Amino acid sequence: MRLSRLRGENNEGLLAGLIILLVLMMGVVEPGFLGPATLTNVVRSLLVDLTFALGMLVVIISGGIDVSFTAIAIFSGYGVIVLMNDLGADGTVWPFALAALAGAVLGGLNAAMVAGLRLPTLIVTLGTQGIVRGALIAFVGSQYLSNLPTGLESLARSDLFAVTTGGGTARMTLLALPVAVLCVLVALLLRSTMLGRSIYAIGGDVESARRVGIRVGRVQTFVYLFAGALAGFGGLMHVTLSRQANPYDLVGSELDVIAAVVIGGASIFGGRGSVLGTVLGVTLIAVINNSLVLLGVPSAWQRLAVGLLVLLGVGLQALGQGRRKSPPILAEVRS
Amino acid sequence: MRKISTLLVAVASASALAACGSSADLSSDGGNGGGNTAAPADLRFVTVVKLTGVGWFNRMETGVKEFATETGIDATQTGADDAGPEKQVKIIQDLIPQRPTAIAVVPNSPESLEGVLKRARDAGIKVVTHEASDQKNTDADIEAFDNTAYGAHMMDELAKCMGESGKYANFVGHLTAKTHMEWAAGAQARAQEKFKGVTRVADPIESQENTGVAYDRTKELLTRNPDIKGIIGSAATDVAGIGRAVQEAGLQDKVCVMGTSIPSVSEKYFADGSIDKIFFWDPAVAGKAMLKIARLLAEGKQVEEGTNLGLPGYESLKRFPGNATTFHGNAWIDVDKSNAAEYKF
């Protein structure tokens, strides 16, 4: 009984154990691995994916799926840089607010189709991905920009803290802070607000949610606007961290994010999932990618490993579903 | 009766169309008036680059446009949105039915283009390549320089920076990119013969022409080889990823970063020494050189040892030993923070 509590509601315990095991194994194989540099490298490489994953988590809990977020992200991130260059403007905070706003507007396309016309989310977001990406290349720009406005350049080089070791300096980027805040906010939203509970309810069973008086359309509208805003924010963060704006970036990397959320225990059928699980899922994928790279394993194997983990995660969910037939939201109501 | 009238209408409209066509032909001839197949207005050259949207090939496009303005030849540039060989094959496949006079190609992977380039040549299209010294199905390949000599030159500079001892690594865009591999081999050969203390940590590392991949691979290198002292990049964006990883690790004074790139990509890493020196040839001039050769071929002339293209670095072409269609100029440029401002691309 105690063991099953340790395992966690959405296999969080299992995931944490897996990550620790992997890190220890890597430490044995490659002694240089267990150091501050690995921590800062992994954090740096997961920040953008984690931001996307938070948006994806909310969408998946609501029973949907979103494959347009990478296009929305690079549109917002690249677009803001182009706008700043054109206006000769500089800044650090407002560009992120603007990118989030742009993302929300683009997410509005999804919201209108999903909430307004009640169309399947996969098809809608596939369409939006094409539209947004095409519009970016056709209207905003197709040039690789190797220099960012100075405010963003200096933000990219700002550290929360830095540890100097023999082999160089391990720097924790300042951008880890806003992402941590976002994690807490999304967790609070999902756990302790009426809106958050409504998102779970819709994902559990749309029809039941509608009958108990939840305004499904409104909640779905919020979900896609919110996911869009997070995508926009993450997009500019990607551009800032990589210190170059390439309109061809990001699109094509959807799988890693969806995988992270599903591995993190969110049910692909909706109604189930947690921020903690998502953080662990993203971390697991980042650690796996980082370790395989360190071991000199070709990138094709990384794809294979991530694919296997997704199947494993979904398989575990299916087994869990077999044990407990009723949607989780109903289980919660009954208890 | 009706049938006949329909027929008449059809014939009339067909001849009207034909008339339109011929008058259009005359006007597009620009009054040049002769049956000369090499008249500039009759020629159409298409340059197919590895990928669009990067500084290097934007600069090449400048050269292509200059060539078009100077000569009056319809010369354009196209390319895929990422550096995958399949997309390039597709682009050339689509060009063949349009029958341009010549195609100038910068292949991502020369081997995978052999088939489609053969079809282009069979269709009577002249093919000129660049960065593909072993391409078989080409009328002429033009390299900016002898790749082995260029690689050796990079090693001379890197070894000087490393104090002639220590480990180094070499990035290439793709392991199938012949040119990048030849630079790497040239550098390694020079290290083995002249700088005994300089050793390479691994085989060339693939960056997939992607800054992010170069960045990740460099972090891996720095973790696995804390004592590494030099890194060479090959694709124009490699050093930006390498420089960023070195800068973030605070190793800019311990690791020498050099490689083929362009100033606009590497400039911001020059100031603190995250990138120490870059080498390049001017892609605008190389783009023009390909088109000048295409024009020579279209006019039925030959490229040979000593041909002067009238471009800096390409005044006297040399033929590669053992490969009749491959030529090189002598056009490399060294840039560090002292002279980066002179090259605005």
Side-chain angles (χ1 to χ4, degrees), chain A residues 58-121:
Chain A
V58 175
V59 172
I60 286 184
I61 290 177
S62 81
I65 189 86
D66 180 2
V67 293
S68 67
F69 67 95
T70 49
I72 292 178
I74 197 63
F75 187 104
S76 312
Y78 184 81
V80 165
I81 300 296
V82 169
L83 189 74
M84 289 173 84
N85 283 346
D86 286 354
L87 298 178
D90 200 1
T92 46
V93 177
W94 71 261
F96 281 92
L98 186 64
L101 183 69
V105 170
L106 295 171
L109 277 175
N110 290 331
M113 305 289 273
V114 172
L117 301 176
R118 299 193 188 176
L119 295 174
T121 53

Side-chain angles (χ1 to χ4, degrees), chain A residues 47-313:
Chain A
L47 282 181
V48 174
D49 276 357
L50 180 54
T51 311
F52 294 155
L54 289 173
M56 179 59 61
L57 172 70
V58 175
V59 172
I60 286 184
I61 290 177
S62 81
I65 189 86
D66 180 2
V67 293
S68 67
F69 67 95
T70 49
I72 292 178
I74 197 63
F75 187 104
S76 312
Y78 184 81
V80 165
I81 300 296
V82 169
L83 189 74
M84 289 173 84
N85 283 346
D86 286 354
L87 298 178
D90 200 1
T92 46
V93 177
W94 71 261
F96 281 92
L98 186 64
L101 183 69
V105 170
L106 295 171
L109 277 175
N110 290 331
M113 305 289 273
V114 172
L117 301 176
R118 299 193 188 176
L119 295 174
T121 53
L122 178 64
I123 307 300
V124 166
T125 54
L126 261 177
T128 350
Q129 188 204 62
I131 294 170
V132 172
R133 173 124 202 268
L136 171 67
I137 306 296
F139 301 124
V140 182
S142 59
Q143 302 247 329
Y144 168 101
L145 305 173
S146 50
N147 290 300
L148 301 184
T150 48
L152 294 178
E153 278 283 350
S154 63
L155 179 64
R157 301 184 61 186
S158 306
D159 304 324
L160 207 53
F161 60 83
V163 185
T164 309
T165 57
T169 312
R171 300 168 189 280
M172 180 63 81
T173 171
L174 189 63
L175 283 165
L177 202 63
V179 177
V181 172
L182 275 175
C183 287
V184 175
L185 287 180
V186 175
L188 285 177
L189 167 80
L190 287 175
R191 261 198 218 170
S192 332
T193 67
M194 193 57 206
L195 183 60
R197 303 320 292 171
S198 308
I199 297 173
Y200 279 98
I202 292 177
D205 192 331
V206 183
E207 205 41 52
S208 314
R210 196 168 277 133
R211 287 189 191 170
V212 298
I214 292 171
R215 299 191 182 191
V216 174
R218 276 197 194 179
V219 174
Q220 279 181 330
T221 306
F222 168 80
V223 165
Y224 289 94
L225 291 181
F226 186 66
L230 282 175
F233 185 86
L236 187 58
M237 195 155 68
H238 165 82
V239 167
T240 305
L241 281 175
S242 55
R243 299 178 61 192
Q244 40 131 347
N246 182 353
Y248 298 104
D249 270 0
L250 290 179
V251 175
S253 65
E254 296 83 10
L255 178 67
D256 272 1
V257 173
I258 296 174
V261 176
V262 172
I263 293 165
S267 165
I268 202 77
F269 311 109
R272 173 176 267 281
S274 71
V275 170
L276 180 62
T278 299
V279 172
L280 291 170
V282 174
T283 310
L284 181 65
I285 289 189
V287 170
I288 287 177
N289 283 345
N290 199 294
S291 324
L292 293 183
V293 162
L294 263 178
L295 294 174
V297 177
S299 53
W301 287 90
Q302 295 178 23
R303 312 301 313 158
L304 189 115
V306 171
L308 279 176
L309 272 174
V310 172
L311 289 188
L312 194 73

Side-chain angles (χ1 to χ4, degrees), chain B residues 110-169:
Chain B
E111 285 82 5
S112 49
L113 288 190
E114 292 290 7
V116 72
L117 289 183
K118 180 171 191 307
R119 252 174 291 147
R121 293 186 69 204
D122 289 348
I125 301 169
K126 298 287 179 197
V127 173
V128 182
T129 50
H130 176 56
E131 289 190 57
S133 53
D134 260 5
Q135 193 82 51
K136 289 185 187 65
N137 290 294
T138 180
D139 291 284
D141 177 81
I142 177 74
E143 301 295 314
F145 34 66
D146 172 39
N147 290 325
T148 310
Y150 177 68
H153 171 72
M154 286 199 277
M155 179 46 68
D156 286 343
E157 295 292 326
L158 187 76
K160 203 196 297 168
C161 176
M162 290 166 65
E164 303 200 359
S165 79
K167 292 183 187 170
Y168 85 101

Side-chain angles (χ1 to χ4, degrees), chain B:
Chain B
M1 196 57 203
R2 196 182 238 164
K3 236 177 199 168
I4 292 172
S5 65
T6 318
L7 196 72
L8 275 174
V9 170
V11 168
S13 54
S15 54
L17 275 177
C20 281
S22 61
S23 68
D25 277 348
L26 277 175
S27 63
S28 77
D29 222 321
N32 219 326
N36 185 358
T37 50
D42 290 340
L43 300 178
R44 192 160 89 84
F45 296 165
V46 183
T47 304
V48 183
V49 297
K50 290 185 184 181
L51 76 166
T52 54
V54 294
W56 186 265
F57 291 115
N58 289 342
R59 172 77 176 176
M60 185 170 280
E61 192 164 22
T62 318
V64 170
K65 284 179 180 155
E66 268 174 35
F67 177 84
T69 327
E70 284 163 15
T71 58
I73 293 172
D74 176 11
T76 51
Q77 179 171 311
T78 177
D81 55 11
D82 67 53
E86 323 74 35
K87 290 200 179 168
Q88 218 174 10
V89 170
K90 174 91 173 53
I91 289 174
I92 299 172
Q93 249 165 10
D94 292 347
L95 277 174
I96 294 174
Q98 301 174 22
R99 293 281 185 278
T101 325
I103 302 178
V105 190
V106 190
N108 282 310
S109 161
E111 285 82 5
S112 49
L113 288 190
E114 292 290 7
V116 72
L117 289 183
K118 180 171 191 307
R119 252 174 291 147
R121 293 186 69 204
D122 289 348
I125 301 169
K126 298 287 179 197
V127 173
V128 182
T129 50
H130 176 56
E131 289 190 57
S133 53
D134 260 5
Q135 193 82 51
K136 289 185 187 65
N137 290 294
T138 180
D139 291 284
D141 177 81
I142 177 74
E143 301 295 314
F145 34 66
D146 172 39
N147 290 325
T148 310
Y150 177 68
H153 171 72
M154 286 199 277
M155 179 46 68
D156 286 343
E157 295 292 326
L158 187 76
K160 203 196 297 168
C161 176
M162 290 166 65
E164 303 200 359
S165 79
K167 292 183 187 170
Y168 85 101
N170 205 325
F171 281 76
V172 294
H174 289 273
L175 291 171
T176 48
K178 184 84 187 157
T179 312
H180 291 181
M181 294 301 279
E182 282 175 359
W183 299 341
Q188 176 64 358
R190 175 60 64 99
Q192 280 172 342
E193 116 209 356
K194 199 172 156 196
F195 310 107
K196 298 285 182 218
V198 177
T199 53
R200 193 165 72 181
V201 291
D203 288 339
I205 302 160
E206 203 169 36
S207 73
Q208 294 159 23
E209 305 249 342
N210 180 328
T211 319
V213 176
Y215 168 79
D216 287 338
R217 294 284 176 276
T218 306
K219 286 203 299 197
E220 159 207 346
L221 265 176
L222 295 174
T223 316
R224 294 185 86 186
N225 305 282
D227 52 345
I228 196 161
K229 282 174 76 182
I231 306 178
I232 297 180
S234 295
T237 50
D238 284 357
V239 284
I242 299 167
R244 179 157 66 94
V246 166
Q247 189 176 59
E248 279 172 21
L251 293 170
Q252 53 269 45
D253 297 331
K254 290 187 186 148
V255 181
C256 295
V257 178
M258 295 189 176
T260 307
S261 186
I262 53 174
S264 64
V265 169
S266 40
E267 216 168 11
K268 65 179 168 190
Y269 298 101
F270 276 143
D272 67 350
S274 308
I275 295 177
D276 298 275
K277 192 171 247 183
I278 59 165
F279 316 91
F280 58 91
W281 65 102
D282 189 338
V285 183
K288 272 175 144 177
M290 276 196 284
L291 296 176
K292 290 222 171 182
I293 289 177
R295 189 174 189 187
L296 286 177
L297 296 171
E299 286 166 351
K301 293 176 190 150
Q302 294 294 315
V303 190
E304 49 214 4
E305 185 96 15
T307 297
N308 182 357
L309 296 179
L311 295 166
Y314 301 87
E315 288 97 348
S316 173
L317 298 187
K318 298 268 182 302
R319 194 191 297 269
F320 275 87
N323 198 337
T325 54
T326 308
F327 298 87
H328 67 86
N330 197 10
W332 71 64
I333 307 171
D334 290 10
V335 166
D336 56 18
K337 65 180 163 198
S338 65
N339 63 343
E342 289 169 33
Y343 298 93
K344 297 204 183 314
F345 65 95

